[in-house]
Amino acid sequence: MTRILGIETSCDETSAAVIDGAGDAVALRSLVILSQDVHRIFGGVVPEIASRAHLTSVVPVVDQALREADLGVRDIEAVAVTNGPGLVGALLVGVSFGKALGFAAGVPVVGVHHMEGHLFATALEHREAVPPFTALLVSGGHTLLLDVEAWGRYRLLGSTRDDAAGEAFDKVAKLLGLPYPGGPHVERLASSSDPGAYRFARPMLRRDQMPGDADYYDVSFSGLKTAVLNAVRGEGQLSDLNRGAIARAFQDALVETLVEKTARAAEQFGRARVVLGGGVACNRTLVAAMERRLGALGATVFAPSLRLATDNAAMIARAGLFHLERGEKAPLDLNAYASLPLPGLVEASERRPGDGVVRRGRG
Ligand code: KG4
Ligand code: ZN
């Protein structure tokens, strides 16, 4: 049993959490998330402002997480910190702080890949959200479709060729004149609207695609964003009705694409569980559509609650525990990286059930 402090500063949330446990029996003791609202003014995250905000917040946020867990620094047995991918200046704050704390307390530090954190988040709430499963990670910076054979063994089936799913939501929100971050605003508008005359093509989704085709699992959202732009321009002055119709048609196209690609993966690998993660997994329409489609295939869908879907340190501590249990420990020169390959990717040459050889996905 290990008690771990998690730290997350990869983007615009300063977060700290304490978990304890062993293997998949883990309890969340505390979770503090401080969202940097200042970026709303600029319509997107301003990297230097984010770094400086982490610098002023990281100590009080960690303090608060320890207090809520009723613990002192001396009670912590390890530190897990996000060291990539993300905004490098933002990551550096968490990494420097985490290493200093680990060094001072004489406990091991482990660097965690942000997206591997998202992969573990749902398991903190759902005991059955453990491998083997199909995973769809949809955040502001990434869209990854994975087959998870075991923790630490990930087959990257598909990813986005351009915009991430959350990025598409944010850009469409901007086109519709909605605030940043746009996901929740677009969802709210879409779920109270009818698509009317609008229907956007489902990007990179065709019936004639076959497993092994380069676009069988990949997604692409930049064309959909252009379709929205053209619709907005076509309207001239946007009425509330048209704004809602466009939001709804956009969300319908994006959701159907993600659901179908995920269903393909679950079917091909015969997975009975599907795990969602990342900020876009807050989208209720997406989760409900997944449950309907995957339920019909006999699979159960696990989605994290809002706090664990968006960026948080609990998921970082949870993924960190896995690595610590494997005997991993970061050296004192642990660095931060803007881009970082997901650890544990299974080689392209390894066979998958069904049809031969896995192709290497793009990261
Ligand atoms: O995982 P996350 O908190 O941060 C990153 O690692 O990027 O994801 C943030 C993204 C943003 O793009 C935000 O617009 C999107 O998640 N998002 C949503 C919803 N809530 C957050 N997208 C669609 N529907 C939502 N309800
Ligand atoms: Zn994230």
Side-chain angles (χ1 to χ4, degrees):
M1 158 127 163
T2 313
R3 190 178 290 137
I4 302 180
L5 171 73
I7 300 170
E8 154 68 36
T9 66
S10 70
C11 191
D12 57 347
E13 261 89 31
T14 315
S15 180
V18 178
I19 65 163
D20 58 27
D24 284 324
V26 174
L28 179 58
R29 297 297 171 203
S30 68
L31 172 58
V32 177
I33 305 171
L34 185 68
S35 290
Q36 303 174 357
D37 288 341
V38 57
H39 304 289
R40 282 166 206 260
I41 304 168
F42 305 99
V45 178
V46 184
E48 188 180 337
I49 296 178
S51 310
R52 290 180 185 278
H54 287 306
L55 204 52
T56 52
S57 310
V58 69
V59 173
V61 164
V62 167
D63 243 10
Q64 179 70 16
L66 289 172
R67 224 179 357 254
E68 285 182 17
D70 211 7
L71 298 169
V73 174
R74 298 273 159 233
D75 301 313
I76 295 301
E77 291 161 316
V79 176
V81 60
T82 310
N83 75 318
L87 300 171
V88 83
L91 288 162
L92 283 170
V93 177
V95 169
S96 307
F97 179 82
K99 285 199 292 187
L101 189 69
F103 183 68
V107 300
V109 175
V110 65
V112 173
H113 188 287
H114 181 80
M115 297 312 290
E116 193 181 25
H118 278 301
L119 198 59
F120 275 89
T122 314
L124 284 165
E125 296 176 307
H126 300 281
R127 288 294 288 264
E128 301 120 279
V130 293
F133 58 72
T134 300
L136 177 70
L137 302 181
V138 272
S139 69
H142 297 87
T143 303
L144 302 175
L145 183 61
L146 300 158
D147 183 65
V148 178
E149 208 172 85
W151 293 128
R153 268 185 80 78
Y154 313 125
R155 213 175 245 118
L156 180 59
L157 303 176
S159 55
T160 181
R161 297 198 177 175
D162 37 62
D163 296 348
E167 191 180 355
F169 269 98
D170 295 337
K171 287 179 174 170
V172 163
K174 209 170 230 174
L175 291 173
L176 295 175
L178 300 169
Y180 173 88
H185 299 279
V186 173
E187 180 182 17
R188 205 168 306 129
L189 190 58
S191 45
S192 60
S193 305
D194 189 271
Y198 286 105
R199 188 185 191 282
F200 300 130
R202 277 48 181 155
M204 222 172 267
L205 186 65
R206 299 186 320 276
R207 278 182 195 284
D208 63 357
Q209 289 165 317
M210 301 288 288
D213 287 354
D215 57 1
Y216 189 68
Y217 289 123
D218 274 351
V219 295
S220 157
F221 296 119
S222 75
L224 180 57
K225 175 189 66 192
T226 307
V228 169
L229 174 66
N230 290 335
V232 170
R233 283 196 179 140
E235 290 293 341
Q237 194 69 25
L238 268 187
S239 68
D240 282 349
L241 197 67
N242 290 331
R243 186 179 279 118
I246 293 170
R248 170 66 191 272
F250 158 75
Q251 184 172 273
D252 284 354
L254 182 137
V255 164
E256 190 180 329
T257 304
L258 291 176
V259 168
E260 286 310 312
K261 301 258 164 168
T262 307
R264 285 176 178 180
E267 231 176 347
Q268 190 182 353
F269 289 88
R271 299 301 183 207
R273 291 184 290 266
V274 171
V275 171
L276 306 180
V280 184
C282 295
N283 189 291
R284 287 177 195 287
T285 313
L286 174 68
V287 177
M290 282 283 179
E291 286 169 348
R292 267 196 312 276
R293 179 73 171 89
L294 274 302
L297 296 176
T300 310
V301 176
F302 297 96
S305 64
L306 303 195
R307 262 168 88 70
L308 291 178
T310 52
D311 290 349
N312 69 84
M315 68 185 196
I316 301 304
R318 178 65 191 84
L321 172 64
F322 167 72
H323 288 284
L324 284 159
E325 284 182 335
R326 291 213 304 194
E328 294 169 35
K329 185 182 150 184
L332 271 176
D333 64 356
L334 175 72
N335 216 322
Y337 302 94
S339 58
L340 191 65
L342 191 70
L345 283 182
V346 170
E347 279 305 309
S349 58
E350 288 189 42
R351 292 179 70 82
R352 62 182 168 189
D355 67 302
V357 167
V358 187
R359 70 190 174 78
R360 186 183 288 282
R362 281 157 293 271

